[in-house]
Structure formats: C-alpha cells, structure tokens
Amino acid sequence: MKRLLSAFLSLILLFCLISPASVYAVGDGNVDGGGGGMGDGTSINSWSPGNEGVRVTVVRSDDHAIVTTPIDLTNKPPNSSIYNFGKVSKLQYNGGRSPSPVKGGYVAIKPTQSIPRIISTNGSNNIAAIKSYFTDEQVIRSIAGLTGMDFDVLIGGEYKLLLEPIAYYKFEGVMIATTATEAAMYDEQVGGLLRKKMVSLSHKNLPLAMFLEVADLGYPAWSGSRSKAASNADIKAALGLGIVRFKDKPAEPPNVSVYDYEYRVNTEVITAITVSGGQSDPDHPVSATFYVNGRSHRVSNSYYPDGDSQLAWIRWTTPNTPQHMTIAVSVSRGGSSSKATINVNVVDLDKNPPPNPVADDRNDSFRKSAVPNKAQQTSTSWTMWRPWWQEHWVWHSDWHWYSDGDGGGHWEDDGEWVDEGWWEFDIDRYQASLSASMAIKPDDKSPTSSSKAMKSGYGINETVSARVSTNQSSAVTGAQTAVTYFPEFGYQTYWRLLERMSSGYSARFEFQKNSYSTYSRRTHFSPIWFPDGSYTSYTWLIDSWTPAGMLSMNLTDSVTIRDSLWTDWHIAPQKPH
C-alpha cells in the first residue's frame, strides 16, 4: 500500500519532456538520436522494449502556438487505466504548465501503418526509419485527420509537427506513461528516485530517442553525449523532441497571356500582359519582368483575387530604326514562374512620300476610290485590383496551472488574440479617350484659291488637333502619329507622315516641309489634273497607347477642285510651284 501511495504521489509531479528530432516533410531530414544499454529491471521497476509511442502536436511556426490537442500514437496501446498526465506537450510544460496526474482515461491510437522502433535498447538509433515514417504522405494525411487539420493547410508551410517519444513502464509497481520531459520533471519532484530506479530508460534511452540537429521552435540542437544519461535540466531544455517541418508549398505558377505589337519608330508606347492563376496579394505577390533591348523593366505587386486577372505593363520608347524585336517576359510568385515572348514589329512610316506631280495627260478614266474607314478605337478602359486586409481576431488559448503550494491551485488562460484575417479586393477603374479634328485648306501661295476651293495642281495645307483625356496619366500616352493618304493614289501607294508640332495630351500635327516646294512650304501638291468636285484627304491618327491597347481615329476633310493647271498648261512645261 505504501508503494502504491508513493507511486501515486510521484505521478502528481510528473512532467513531460521529449528527445530532439526535426524532420522535413519534403526533402532533407533534421533529426538524430542515440541511446545505450538498458540494464536490468526489477519486478516493480521495469520497461519492456516495444512499450513506446510518440506524442504528436501541431504547432504554428511563427508564434509556436499549439493549435490542436496532442495525440499519442503507438503500436501497442496500453490499458486505458494507466497513470498518465493527459495530452500535454513539451511546449506547454516549458511555458509553465504544471503536471496533473490522472489514473485511467488514457487514449493512444494504433496507426494503420506501424511505427518504427523509437527507443533504443542497445545504443543504435533508428533515425532513418523515424524520418521516413513521419515524412510519409499517408502518415501525415492520417495525422491531419486525427488532429482535425486540413491536410493542405497542415503542409502549407505555416505549421510544424512536434514529436515526443513516450514510454509505458512500471515504476514502483505502477504502470505509467511519460514523455521524456514528464519523466525529468517528475524525477525532480521525487528527489531523484526515478533516475535512481530507471536511469537507462528515463534519463538515457527515452530522452536520447530523438533530438534536434538544427535549432527550431526555440529549442537548441543537441551537442552533448549521445550515449550517457542526461540531466533533468538538459532533458527539459533540449532532449526528447523531434520536429517535422514542412516546406512552403510551391506557389501556383502564375499564367501569363501576351499580345504581339506593331509600333512606330521613336514612339513612346505601352506594352501589356495579363497575369492570372491563383491569388496575388501582399503576402503572395506576383511580379513581372520585361526584357527590352538588353534592359530589364520590373513591375511589382500585380494583385488580383483568385479566379481573376490583372494587366501588367511597362512604358518605354521604341528604337529610332525599323526592326523586329522580341520582348522576353518572366512572371513570378514565390519560387514559381512562367515565361513568355512578345513579338514586336517597329516600322517607319516616313519612307513613302508622294513624288513631285508632273503635267501628265488628262486621265478621263480616273475614278475616285472610297475613303478608308479603318476600325478605330477612340476610348477604352481597364481596371486595377486593390487589396485590403479584413481583420478577424480569434482568441488562442494557452492554459496554465498555477499551484498555491498547498496541493491546490487554479488554471489561467494566458492566451492572446490573433488576427486570422484575409485579403479582400476592391477594384479601381480607369479610362482614356481620344478626340480630334482635321482641317485642310488651299495653300496660301495658291493664286486661284478661295477658302475651300482651288484649281488642281496647287498645294493644300493640313492641321490635325488631337486631345487625349484619362484618369491615369502614368499609363497613357498622347497621340503621337498622324498619316495622311490622298485620293489621286487611291488612298494607297503613297502617304505623308505629318510632323508633330506639339506633344502631350493636346497634340497638333502639320505636313512636313515639302522638298518639291520652291519655298519649302508645309504643303501637299494635288495632281496637275484632277476631276472637278470634292478632293478628300484621309488621316489615320494613331499611337495613343494605354494598357488596354492603342487609341486611334479616322479623320477626313475636303476642298473643292474647280478646273486645273492641266487646262492652263495643257502640254506646256510645268512651272515651279
């Protein structure tokens, strides 16, 4: 009876400790172990090989908070009436939790996949098998189910498994279950009796069953003896634990959609891509890098919610010479990336001006062509996602037992509020629009002209005024190019690239100086003969660039032809203009 009472009082003071072992669930392991011979037992103090298990606790990596109730796994579940100290982890004990013994009610789970030998009996460890077991996908899935954790959440990189070897043994005639930490703390309370009676198990083979190779969760790597009995202080501080660390789940590679472009030389342009796939937020941002002419342009923080997408773009100036270019694009999130190539054709429109008109014979078979009407885009819009944090505060309990020194005490919750919020998204909308006007009139030097009428063979002047409006100026250029086509060439063959007289969002264009003009006037000479009636010039206004593409506009204006220089000259030599 005295023996049983002694054992029961001893159990009141039992405290949990475990041997350091740390393992990667993916890739390399971080666990080691040791041990030695067992010595001889007695009828009232003994342990049989195989009476062992492992306590598993899910721990949050960043703050070491325990997020599930620990579970005990064993190939040989003991009788439920065994003395035990509940499901308490090493972290809780080291945080101030006092041991509280109970008789009975003990539950240990026998896994479908048998656990490898944990506790050494002859000095040889079994670390390779332990690593392999506790990093096996099916075992981790089973642990997730038993602890109530979603498997994908568990292995997502935010949580770790704390492993603690357990021994089921007889001490002073009573069967008890302890981790290494519990055994060390219990020994302190019974004046070293456990060490005296069970040293080979309680202070050597149990705590040395696992220890850390690399410091983690606030515990150091063990550098002491791997074969000698450890002190209670060393056991509590650094032995009897293993850690399964999960690498961050590789981020889903973002998708990238690209578009081929045709640009003009020496033009400020926008080159855009669309990124999608997964969710991009400040915790997991997507960035894009454009490689243009040997230079890299990085666009950071392209955010979007799961199931949606976002434009990402750069603003740059094309080369001065026509050429074919390729722009390599790399889009990354975390450790994953996607690549794409944009094909760019840079052209020079200032290469095909009309020739000098001559006094050709009258062409009565000439027929006017229809004025072009290209597909134009005078307005466009795009959006940008803006993430914001939705707070969601949750209380995380951390119960500790505070003794009053007289066999009583009370529990206190020393937990804290933790923000378990998430990212929400608002959408910002942007737009750009292009408006313009075109006016042609007889050249001031034309002796036969009125405000809108002239003889063919004389010159015309042109002015194009363009205005771009937008609520995101950093992403939009003004109109930069105006090209005029003429009826005598069927609006093909030849054209004039207008000179930009003023730039920006309010731009103005005129003809370049004509090398065939005596006075180098900004003029276009109509043909020497052209049928009477309307003479309509067509201008294609382009190169106002936005993330959503190019703004463009068809413009026309006319003068009236009344008679021609052909009638005056007939077959006479052509006079200078």
Side-chain angles (χ1 to χ4, degrees):
M1 192 59 160
K2 187 183 292 183
R3 234 180 242 136
L4 289 173
L5 180 59
S6 172
F8 179 75
L9 292 175
S10 299
L11 285 168
I12 294 177
L13 302 171
L14 195 58
F15 198 75
C16 225
L17 184 58
I18 269 203
S19 152
S22 177
V23 183
Y24 284 100
V26 180
D28 300 328
N30 175 24
V31 60
D32 211 339
M38 287 302 300
D40 297 322
T42 68
S43 61
I44 61 171
N45 295 292
S46 63
W47 172 78
S48 298
N51 287 338
E52 62 186 15
V54 176
R55 181 162 296 165
V56 182
T57 308
V58 180
V59 180
R60 192 165 49 237
S61 302
D62 56 1
D63 61 1
H64 305 174
I66 295 166
V67 297
T68 65
T69 300
I71 59 171
D72 290 355
L73 304 177
T74 178
N75 296 330
K76 297 172 63 175
N79 192 295
S80 62
S81 63
I82 193 172
Y83 280 94
N84 66 93
F85 293 87
K87 301 299 173 61
V88 183
S89 78
K90 185 180 185 75
L91 281 169
Q92 291 169 296
Y93 284 126
N94 291 155
R97 180 80 171 261
S98 297
S100 179
V102 293
K103 184 180 188 305
Y106 180 75
V107 176
I109 300 166
K110 182 179 181 179
T112 303
Q113 197 168 330
S114 295
I115 300 172
R117 175 174 53 81
I118 302 297
I119 300 174
S120 170
T121 58
N122 58 9
S124 62
N125 63 51
N126 199 28
I127 292 304
I130 294 172
K131 285 182 182 181
S132 176
Y133 183 87
F134 283 102
T135 58
D136 180 87
E137 180 180 343
Q138 294 308 313
V139 171
I140 300 301
R141 286 186 179 276
S142 175
I143 290 172
L146 292 170
T147 57
M149 286 285 289
D150 178 85
F151 173 73
D152 290 325
V153 173
L154 176 60
I155 68 170
E158 297 181 16
Y159 300 95
K160 299 177 181 179
L161 297 182
L162 173 61
L163 309 178
E164 301 182 64
I166 302 171
Y168 307 117
Y169 55 98
K170 184 185 292 185
F171 175 62
E172 293 298 281
V174 176
M175 286 298 295
I176 61 174
T178 71
T179 64
T181 303
E182 289 170 336
M185 299 183 73
Y186 166 73
D187 183 63
E188 291 177 338
Q189 299 300 324
V190 295
L193 183 62
L194 180 60
R195 183 183 181 94
K196 180 179 179 180
K197 301 291 187 179
M198 301 287 295
V199 63
S200 294
L201 174 69
S202 63
H203 288 71
K204 183 170 62 176
N205 291 316
L206 176 59
L208 290 174
M210 298 180 191
F211 50 78
L212 300 181
E213 290 182 314
V214 177
D216 202 351
L217 291 182
Y219 295 103
W222 175 245
S223 58
S225 173
R226 298 178 177 221
S227 59
K228 295 180 179 180
S231 67
N232 289 329
D234 282 343
I235 295 172
K236 291 187 294 182
L239 292 173
L241 77 153
I243 296 170
V244 176
R245 299 183 296 177
F246 301 98
K247 291 182 179 179
D248 286 340
K249 225 170 40 170
E252 177 186 349
N255 301 319
V256 53
S257 301
V258 299
Y259 324 91
D260 292 342
Y261 287 89
E262 181 173 278
Y263 296 132
R264 267 52 61 187
V265 295
N266 196 29
T267 303
E268 191 176 29
V269 297
I270 302 291
T271 300
I273 60 174
T274 299
V275 294
S276 61
Q279 175 167 297
S280 174
D281 55 46
D283 291 329
H284 307 92
V286 167
S287 63
T289 304
F290 298 72
Y291 299 92
V292 185
N293 270 354
R295 297 183 60 189
S296 61
H297 305 259
R298 183 177 174 84
V299 181
S300 300
N301 303 331
S302 294
Y303 300 131
Y304 53 87
D306 190 19
D308 221 296
S309 62
Q310 178 62 61
L311 285 168
W313 62 86
I314 58 170
R315 185 170 181 160
W316 61 288
T317 300
T318 60
N320 292 323
T321 56
Q323 56 192 274
H324 291 282
M325 301 174 59
T326 57
I327 297 176
V329 180
S330 176
V331 179
S332 61
R333 172 177 45 222
S336 61
S337 64
S338 299
K339 300 183 185 298
T341 299
I342 300 171
N343 296 305
V344 175
N345 186 27
V346 180
V347 299
D348 187 352
L349 296 180
D350 195 18
K351 294 294 185 182
N352 210 26
N356 186 36
V358 294
D360 293 332
D361 286 341
R362 175 178 177 138
N363 182 9
D364 290 324
S365 65
F366 175 80
R367 295 292 181 270
K368 294 180 182 179
S369 299
V371 177
N373 185 29
K374 297 183 179 182
Q376 65 179 15
Q377 182 81 31
T378 58
S379 65
T380 191
S381 61
W382 61 98
T383 58
M384 291 187 67
W385 291 102
R386 176 166 42 85
W388 56 276
W389 183 253
Q390 174 63 62
E391 294 182 350
H392 179 63
W393 291 93
V394 177
W395 179 259
H396 284 216
S397 294
D398 184 15
W399 289 96
H400 289 165
W401 173 262
Y402 292 92
S403 174
D404 60 10
D406 292 324
H410 65 281
W411 289 96
E412 284 189 14
D413 188 355
D414 296 327
E416 62 179 350
W417 288 99
V418 177
D419 186 0
E420 295 184 356
W422 57 86
W423 290 104
E424 294 281 0
F425 292 82
D426 287 337
I427 194 165
D428 295 327
R429 302 183 184 277
Y430 299 96
Q431 58 78 32
S433 60
L434 170 65
S435 59
S437 62
M438 168 186 172
I440 64 172
K441 65 172 186 170
D443 188 282
D444 293 338
K445 300 295 183 179
S446 173
T448 63
S449 66
S450 61
S451 60
K452 294 289 280 186
M454 57 179 279
K455 283 186 176 183
S456 68
Y458 287 105
I460 59 171
N461 304 133
E462 177 179 344
T463 301
V464 172
S465 297
R467 179 173 178 79
V468 173
S469 62
T470 181
N471 59 347
Q472 192 182 23
S473 58
S474 62
V476 179
T477 73
Q480 300 167 82
T481 304
V483 187
T484 300
Y485 301 81
F486 304 98
E488 62 266 36
F489 307 114
Y491 302 106
Q492 300 178 36
T493 313
Y494 301 103
W495 55 83
R496 290 194 184 277
L497 177 66
L498 276 62
E499 183 175 345
R500 192 165 68 242
M501 310 303 292
S502 61
S503 301
Y505 293 133
S506 296
R508 184 171 61 85
F509 303 84
E510 294 182 4
F511 286 136
Q512 299 182 51
K513 291 180 179 180
N514 192 326
S515 60
Y516 298 119
S517 168
T518 305
Y519 305 103
S520 295
R521 300 192 303 276
R522 297 181 182 278
T523 189
H524 169 74
F525 292 116
S526 60
I528 300 300
W529 178 88
F530 193 84
D532 286 358
S534 176
Y535 179 90
T536 302
S537 295
Y538 163 75
T539 296
W540 181 228
L541 180 65
I542 54 176
D543 285 338
S544 172
W545 287 97
T546 79
M550 183 184 74
L551 298 181
S552 59
M553 195 170 185
N554 296 302
L555 299 170
T556 61
D557 196 24
S558 304
V559 295
T560 301
I561 297 296
R562 293 176 182 163
D563 209 351
S564 66
L565 281 178
W566 188 90
T567 303
D568 296 343
W569 294 3
H570 195 49
I571 58 172
Q574 182 178 344
K575 299 177 182 179
H577 295 286

